[in-house]
């Protein structure tokens, strides 16, 4: 049995396809939008009408407002001479300055002047009505913040009331025109003439205040400079006196523009440099002579280089004569030695003579060396004397320099004060001249004139806002309704959400008057009594009374799906259930049984909703025995079956004389399974009306004798989450479901929800084949 159910489950899931059409891009989006409009057009129309009505009421009750405009140009109109001589900085008109001027034009002080000038406190246009929002808030504030009775009353103020000032400022709009030097002043009023007058007055008062402030600032600056000039004159005179007193005290005298100590140090420095040069020359001569003596020892037979002795030695006539004689003898030795031999007496005499001449030359060099040594000592003594005098002069100059630093500082201070005094004197004279040449820094470019048309409220804009706002509200409400519409409305929803094929869309039936025949008739003959099904309820007889109706065709679709079920048996038991009560499962079960019986098949419909046998109350009102008596009390089934004389439909009601408490155990009993085995062998079809899944667990106990189930879902009423939860809590029922039926469908409304298959719901397709469009 388990393997059979698993195979059946696989076969049941196979026919489920995704019937959603492929995305069509912009066409798909347009279809979706049109479908939304068709579904929510009532909400859109109501919301748009509400928005337009509110705008019309607003335009009706709102008084017109006229706005006058005046343009003021800000400029530095002073001549170049005046700008150069001005004691106040002339800033460029940057963004910050313009923002400052805008705030000045909207300031409280300027508003008070205009209010007092035009006596706006008595103007009805500025007097708030007793029902206005400001008046109500002001009265509430007075009630909440009430002063104690003992507090002194505030003194009367000359300023207008705060509310009047706020109302005036709210009507003033000041803006800069682009990046130009123009400022536009707008004032709104219900009177166009008054609006122009006040706008021009704002510009005039602003320019007058600017000129007044400029003159006041110049006057204050001139007074300050006059006081400052007096102080600077006294300080400069005191500084000059301090310089003279310090020179006299420190005996600072200069010759040729320079101090005497500085000249003495300069002269000594020059002499010291010359003395050091002489000492260096003498030391160099002595070093050269000593080098010659070291290079020509007394026992040497040759004379070294005498050129290193310097110009003094070379210029000596004695050394020059001796050196010439020495060279002549050296030449003779060089000529005679090869001729006569080195040891010849003449050559030897020449050599002895050369030795004597060499000794004489060296003696002369020694004499020059001693002379240079004496000169070096003298030069050193002279240098030391100059250095000593230089040190004394520098020490004396240091003390003098300290005093000079102080005197230079005093002189610099006196010069700065004198220069600052002269500058302030020049600026003071310029300021005095400037006061006699006042020039305004702004002028009115275009005065305000009374406006010809109102500025507020703008009728086209208000109506456009009302239309857009109403449409936006309608779209928002429509989207909210769409999101909250968590119910089943299309077959695609059932297939995608539940994973079940939608077997049929059953139209909603219109309520008709009950038949005038008797509720139940008992026709007894001599041996038996006939139990006939009631004809008072017409819903289950629609398929027989209107076999060519759309409703009958939808029931045929259910019957065909049952016959095409891959797990179909020769005699099968079909259970009809739903997630919640009142979804029409009982009507579907009775109609399906009537359709099968009208087709000539043997069929019985069994009412297994033991706690609420609504089918029994409709078809067998006077029944006194039913399925409970058959399985519990052993009553024969033939004694409880009712029949329809027209279609030969058999019906087994659910009737009990005592309340049935344990219905799930009764449905799961072996006697119930045996009963349905007997019905399976007797009838071609067994249609079972089962209780709903959510409130009861009885349906879960019927899998032992039910071959397959059909789930009935009410169109537009049953919540998606409820059905999903019901199937999740009954997995054994979910596995045996062959599909779902969307019951009580509004066929005319389906085209608004199932836009991709809107042609499927047109009546002309059914009329073409002889079907009636009515349900």
């Amino acid at each position: 049995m388990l393997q059979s159910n698993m195979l059946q489950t696989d076969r049941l899931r196979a026919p489920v396809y995704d019937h959603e059409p492929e995305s069509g891009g912009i066409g798909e989006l347009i279809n979706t939008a049109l479908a939304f409009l068709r579904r929510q057009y009532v909400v859109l129309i109501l919301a748009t009408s509400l928005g337009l009505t509110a705008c019309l009421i607003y335009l009706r009750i709102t008084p017109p407002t006229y706005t006058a405009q005046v343009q003021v140009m800000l400029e530095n109109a002073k001549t170049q001479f005046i700008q150069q001589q001005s004691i106040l900085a002339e800033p460029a008109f940057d963004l910050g300055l313009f923002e400052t001027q805008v705030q000045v034009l909207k300031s409280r002080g300027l508003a008070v002047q205009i209010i007092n000038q035009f006596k706006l406190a008595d103007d009805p246009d500025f007097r708030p009505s007793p029902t206005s929002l400001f008046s109500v808030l002001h009265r509430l504030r007075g009630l909440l913040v009430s002063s104690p009775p003992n507090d002194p009353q505030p003194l009367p103020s000359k300023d207008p009331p705060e509310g009047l000032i706020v109302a005036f400022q709210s009507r003033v709009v000041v803006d800069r025109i682009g990046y130009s030097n123009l400022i536009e002043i707008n004032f709104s009023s219900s009177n166009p003439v008054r609006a122009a007058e006040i706008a021009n007055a704002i510009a005039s008062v602003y320019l007058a205040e600017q000129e007044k402030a400029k003159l006041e600032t110049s006057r204050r600056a001139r007074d300050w400079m006059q006081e400052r000039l007096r102080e600077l004159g006294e300080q400069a005179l005191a500084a000059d006196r301090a310089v003279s007193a310090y020179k006299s005290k420190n005996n600072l005298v200069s010759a040729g523009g320079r101090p005497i100590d500085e000249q003495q140090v300069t002269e000594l420095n020059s002499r010291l440099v010359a003395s050091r040069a002489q000492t260096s020359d003498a030391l160099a001569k002595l070093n050269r002579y000593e080098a010659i003596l070291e290079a020509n020892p007394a026992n040497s037979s040759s004379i070294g280089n005498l050129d290193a002795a310097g110009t003094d030695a070379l210029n000596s006539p004695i050394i020059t004569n001796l050196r010439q004689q020495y060279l002549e003898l050296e030449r003779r030795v060089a000529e005679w030695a090869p001729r006569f031999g080195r040891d010849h007496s003449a050559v030897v005499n020449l050599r002895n003579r050369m030795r004597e001449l060499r000794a004489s030359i060296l003696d002369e060099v020694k004499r020059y060396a001693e002379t240079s040594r004496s000169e070096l000592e003298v030069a050193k003594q002279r240098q030391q004397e100059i250095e000593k005098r230089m040190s004394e002069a520098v020490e004396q100059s240091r003390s003098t320099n300290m005093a000079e630093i102080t005197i230079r500082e005093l002189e610099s201070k006196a010069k700065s004060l004198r220069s600052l005094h002269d500058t302030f004197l020049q600026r003071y004279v310029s300021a005095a001249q400037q006061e006699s040449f006042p020039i305004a820094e702004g002028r009115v470019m275009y005065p305000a004139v009374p406006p010809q048309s109102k500025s507020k409220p703008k009728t086209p804009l208000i109506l456009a806002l009302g239309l857009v706002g109403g449409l936006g509200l309608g779209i928002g409400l429509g989207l909210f309704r769409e999101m909250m519409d968590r119910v089943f409305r299309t077959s695609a929803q059932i297939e995608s959400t539940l994973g079940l094929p939608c077997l049929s869309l059953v139209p909603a039936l219109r309520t008709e008057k009950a038949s005038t025949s008797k509720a139940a008739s008992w026709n007894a003959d001599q041996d038996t009594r006939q139990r006939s099904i009631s004809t008072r309820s017409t819903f289950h007889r629609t398929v027989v009374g209107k076999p060519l109706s759309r409703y009958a065709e939808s029931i045929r679709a259910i019957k065909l799906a049952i016959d095409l079920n891959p797990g179909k048996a020769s005699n099968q038991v079909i259970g009809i259930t739903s997630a919640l009560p009142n979804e029409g499962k009982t009507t579907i079960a009775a109609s399906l049984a009537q359709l099968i019986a009208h087709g000539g098949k043997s069929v019985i419909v069994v009412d297994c909703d033991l706690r609420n046998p609504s089918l029994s109350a409709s078809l067998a009102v006077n029944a006194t025995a039913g399925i409970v008596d058959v399985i519990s009390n052993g009553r024969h089934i033939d004694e409880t079956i009712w029949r329809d004389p027209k279609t030969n439909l058999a019906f087994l009601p659910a009737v009990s004389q005592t309340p049935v408490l344990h219905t799930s155990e009764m449905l799961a009993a072996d006697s119930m399974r045996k009963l349905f085995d007997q019905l399976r062998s007797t009838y071609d079809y067994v249609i079972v009306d089962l209780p709903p899944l959510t409130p009861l667990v009885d349906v879960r106990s019927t899998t032992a004798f039910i071959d397959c189930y059909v789930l009935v879902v009410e169109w537009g009423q049953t919540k998606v989450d409820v059905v999903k939860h019901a199937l999740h809590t009954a997995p054994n029922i979910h596995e045996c479901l062959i599909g779902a039926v969307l019951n009580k469908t509004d066929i005319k409304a389906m085209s608004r929800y199932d836009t991709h298959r809107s042609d499927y719901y047109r009546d002309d397709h059914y009329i073409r084949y002889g079907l009636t469009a009515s349900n």
Side-chain angles (χ1 to χ4, degrees):
M1 183 66 180
L2 179 60
Q3 293 179 353
S4 176
N5 289 338
M6 293 179 62
L7 292 175
Q8 182 182 8
T9 302
D10 296 338
R11 289 193 294 270
L12 290 175
R13 297 297 180 266
V16 180
Y17 303 105
D18 184 10
H19 296 288
E20 290 295 332
E22 296 182 358
S23 176
I26 188 64
E28 176 71 16
L29 182 61
I30 294 175
N31 288 334
T32 303
L34 292 177
F36 171 78
L37 294 177
R38 285 196 296 269
R39 291 193 298 269
Q40 306 294 338
Y41 73 94
V42 176
V43 176
L44 292 175
I45 293 175
L46 290 177
T48 304
S49 302
L50 179 62
L52 291 176
T53 303
C55 291
L56 292 174
I57 294 174
Y58 173 78
L59 292 174
R60 181 65 179 174
I61 64 176
T62 303
T65 300
Y66 298 89
T67 301
Q69 299 176 349
V70 58
Q71 294 180 354
V72 176
M73 173 180 280
L74 300 182
E75 58 182 353
N76 286 333
K78 296 181 179 180
T79 62
Q80 185 69 20
F81 172 75
I82 295 297
Q83 290 184 8
Q84 292 177 355
Q85 302 300 324
S86 177
I87 61 175
L88 300 177
E90 300 295 340
F93 287 105
D94 57 358
L95 181 60
L97 181 59
F98 271 98
E99 290 297 328
T100 302
Q101 302 307 314
V102 168
Q103 296 302 321
V104 170
L105 286 165
K106 296 163 58 177
S107 64
R108 178 188 178 93
L110 192 144
V112 170
Q113 291 188 48
I114 300 298
I115 291 172
N116 295 331
Q117 178 181 348
F118 286 89
K119 299 181 180 180
L120 298 181
D122 301 329
D123 193 337
D125 190 25
F126 289 86
R127 189 179 304 160
S129 62
T131 59
S132 65
L133 178 61
F134 181 80
S135 299
V136 173
L137 294 177
H138 186 70
R139 289 197 297 269
L140 289 177
R141 182 176 178 273
L143 293 175
L144 294 176
V145 187
S146 59
S147 59
N150 296 330
D151 288 350
Q153 295 296 329
L155 296 176
S157 176
K158 296 182 180 180
D159 291 342
E162 183 68 23
L164 180 58
I165 297 176
V166 173
F168 179 86
Q169 290 178 331
S170 65
R171 299 179 180 220
V172 178
V173 178
V174 183
D175 292 311
R176 180 183 182 184
I177 302 178
Y179 294 97
S180 64
N181 289 356
L182 293 176
I183 292 181
E184 185 177 74
I185 305 171
N186 301 309
F187 186 80
S188 301
S189 176
S190 60
N191 188 340
V193 177
R194 177 55 64 90
E197 291 177 352
I198 295 179
N200 290 324
I202 292 175
S204 300
V205 171
Y206 165 73
L207 294 177
E209 288 295 324
Q210 290 293 98
E211 184 176 354
K212 180 181 178 181
K214 196 74 173 180
L215 292 176
E216 179 65 21
T217 304
S218 299
R219 185 188 63 78
R220 293 174 58 187
R222 188 197 55 169
D223 294 342
W224 174 80
M225 291 185 66
Q226 185 177 7
E227 180 65 22
R228 185 61 179 160
L229 278 172
R230 185 184 63 78
E231 295 177 357
L232 289 175
E234 295 177 355
Q235 293 176 1
L237 181 59
D240 291 338
R241 291 175 178 176
V243 170
S244 299
Y246 192 83
K247 285 184 177 181
S248 300
K249 179 180 179 181
N250 291 274
N251 196 19
L252 295 177
V253 181
S254 299
R258 299 177 62 187
I260 296 177
D261 294 335
E262 182 178 351
Q263 293 179 357
Q264 184 178 3
V265 170
T266 303
E267 294 175 359
L268 290 175
N269 188 45
S270 300
R271 293 175 59 189
L272 178 60
V273 171
S275 176
R276 287 176 178 174
Q278 292 177 1
T279 304
S280 178
D281 292 341
L283 179 61
K285 285 183 181 181
L286 178 61
N287 291 336
R288 287 196 297 270
Y289 290 142
E290 289 180 350
I292 292 174
L293 294 176
E294 290 179 359
N296 296 275
N299 55 358
S300 176
S301 61
S302 63
I303 298 177
N305 188 10
L306 294 178
D307 295 336
T311 56
D312 295 337
L314 293 177
N315 294 331
S316 174
I318 297 175
I319 293 178
T320 302
N321 186 21
L322 292 176
R323 193 163 180 267
Q324 290 177 355
Q325 294 178 16
Y326 181 84
L327 293 175
E328 180 64 25
L329 293 176
E330 185 178 13
R331 183 182 62 77
R332 290 179 183 181
V333 170
E335 291 178 358
W336 290 1
R339 182 186 304 177
F340 302 108
R342 292 181 59 85
D343 296 330
H344 191 273
S345 59
V347 175
V348 172
N349 290 331
L350 289 175
R351 288 178 180 157
N352 293 332
R353 181 59 182 162
M354 290 174 62
R355 195 175 293 113
E356 291 175 357
L357 290 174
R358 176 180 174 278
S360 298
I361 292 173
L362 293 178
D363 290 339
E364 189 67 19
V365 172
K366 289 179 181 180
R367 186 178 64 80
Y368 277 111
E370 291 297 331
T371 303
S372 296
R373 186 174 289 106
S374 299
E375 292 177 355
L376 178 61
E377 292 297 330
V378 173
K380 286 182 178 182
Q381 291 179 0
R382 188 184 301 111
Q383 178 182 344
Q384 291 176 357
E385 181 66 22
I386 295 174
E387 286 177 351
K388 181 178 179 181
R389 292 178 60 187
M390 181 69 178
S391 177
E392 293 176 354
V394 168
E395 186 66 25
Q396 183 179 359
S397 178
R398 286 177 180 174
S399 60
T400 304
N401 288 338
M402 295 299 296
E404 290 179 353
I405 292 174
T406 303
I407 195 63
R408 281 197 295 269
E409 182 179 359
L410 294 175
E411 289 177 346
S412 176
K413 182 179 179 181
K415 184 178 180 181
S416 299
L417 289 173
R418 184 59 60 187
S419 176
L420 185 60
H421 177 269
D422 295 341
T423 302
F424 266 74
L425 180 60
Q426 182 182 2
R427 298 295 295 275
Y428 173 75
V429 174
S430 299
Q433 296 296 327
Q434 185 179 353
E435 286 188 7
S436 62
F437 188 63
I439 296 179
E441 296 185 356
R443 56 192 175 97
V444 176
M445 291 295 299
Y446 187 79
V449 296
Q452 300 299 322
S453 60
K454 65 178 182 179
S455 59
K456 293 188 302 183
K458 298 181 182 298
T459 302
L461 179 61
I462 296 298
L463 293 178
L465 290 177
L467 179 62
V468 173
L471 286 175
L473 177 62
I475 292 173
L477 293 176
L479 292 175
F480 178 76
R481 292 185 64 194
E482 292 282 328
M483 291 188 296
M484 297 303 295
D485 191 25
R486 292 282 298 166
V487 295
F488 289 100
R489 293 190 183 273
T490 64
S491 58
Q493 281 183 286
I494 292 180
E495 294 172 358
S496 61
T497 304
L498 304 180
L500 296 172
C502 184
L503 305 181
S504 178
L505 299 178
V506 181
L509 293 176
R510 292 191 296 267
T511 304
E512 297 180 358
K513 294 182 179 180
S515 177
T516 57
S517 61
K518 295 188 297 181
S521 61
W522 291 78
N523 300 321
D525 54 18
Q526 296 178 356
D527 300 324
T528 62
R529 290 183 299 177
Q530 183 78 20
R531 289 172 295 277
S532 298
I533 294 177
S534 172
T535 59
R536 183 174 59 181
S537 176
T538 59
F539 283 168
H540 66 279
R541 300 190 65 84
T542 303
V543 294
V544 178
K546 299 178 181 179
L548 296 180
S549 65
R550 203 163 188 171
Y551 178 82
E553 194 66 20
S554 63
I555 300 299
R556 289 190 186 96
I558 301 174
K559 194 261 183 185
L560 181 62
I562 295 173
D563 292 339
L564 296 179
N565 179 23
K568 177 179 178 294
S570 57
N571 303 92
Q572 55 183 344
V573 181
I574 301 98
I576 310 298
T577 185
S578 62
L580 296 172
N582 301 322
E583 293 193 64
K585 63 175 181 59
T586 300
T587 303
I588 295 296
S591 299
L592 180 61
Q594 286 282 11
L595 179 69
I596 296 174
H598 192 261
K601 297 290 184 178
S602 60
V603 58
I604 183 173
V605 57
V606 182
D607 190 357
C608 282
D609 193 353
L610 303 181
R611 299 194 190 184
N612 184 27
S614 58
L615 185 59
S616 299
S618 177
L619 300 182
V621 180
N622 298 325
T624 58
I627 188 173
V628 178
D629 298 294
V630 173
I631 62 176
S632 299
N633 302 328
R635 193 162 184 174
H636 196 275
I637 188 174
D638 293 336
E639 300 176 0
T640 59
I641 292 179
W642 291 53
R643 293 188 181 277
D644 188 346
K646 186 174 181 180
T647 60
N648 200 27
L649 170 66
F651 173 57
L652 180 59
V655 179
S656 178
Q657 301 299 328
T658 59
V660 182
L661 300 179
H662 304 287
T663 53
S664 59
E665 287 81 359
M666 186 177 296
L667 293 174
D670 291 338
S671 57
M672 182 67 74
R673 182 177 54 81
K674 292 177 181 179
L675 172 62
F676 275 89
D677 289 341
Q678 181 182 352
L679 296 176
R680 188 193 304 271
S681 62
T682 304
Y683 297 93
D684 295 332
Y685 292 88
V686 180
I687 308 300
V688 184
D689 181 23
L690 297 172
L693 291 171
T694 299
L696 303 175
V697 298
D698 293 0
V699 184
R700 307 179 202 178
S701 304
T702 62
T703 54
F705 56 88
I706 300 292
D707 295 332
C708 58
Y709 297 86
V710 175
L711 179 67
V712 177
V713 178
E714 184 176 0
W715 182 89
Q717 294 295 327
T718 307
K719 299 292 185 182
V720 174
D721 297 334
V722 173
V723 179
K724 291 173 64 177
H725 176 72
L727 295 180
H728 178 73
T729 55
N732 56 340
I733 305 300
H734 193 192
E735 292 176 355
C736 298
L737 283 172
I738 64 172
V741 175
L742 200 56
N743 192 29
K744 302 181 184 180
T745 305
D746 187 352
I747 299 299
K748 294 182 179 180
M750 281 298 295
S751 60
R752 301 197 301 266
Y753 293 96
D754 197 0
T755 57
H756 304 291
R757 291 180 287 268
S758 58
D759 292 341
Y760 173 79
Y761 307 104
R762 293 171 55 182
D763 290 336
D764 52 355
H765 299 317
Y766 293 86
I767 296 174
R768 182 182 181 89
Y769 289 93
L771 299 178
T772 60
S774 61
N775 294 333

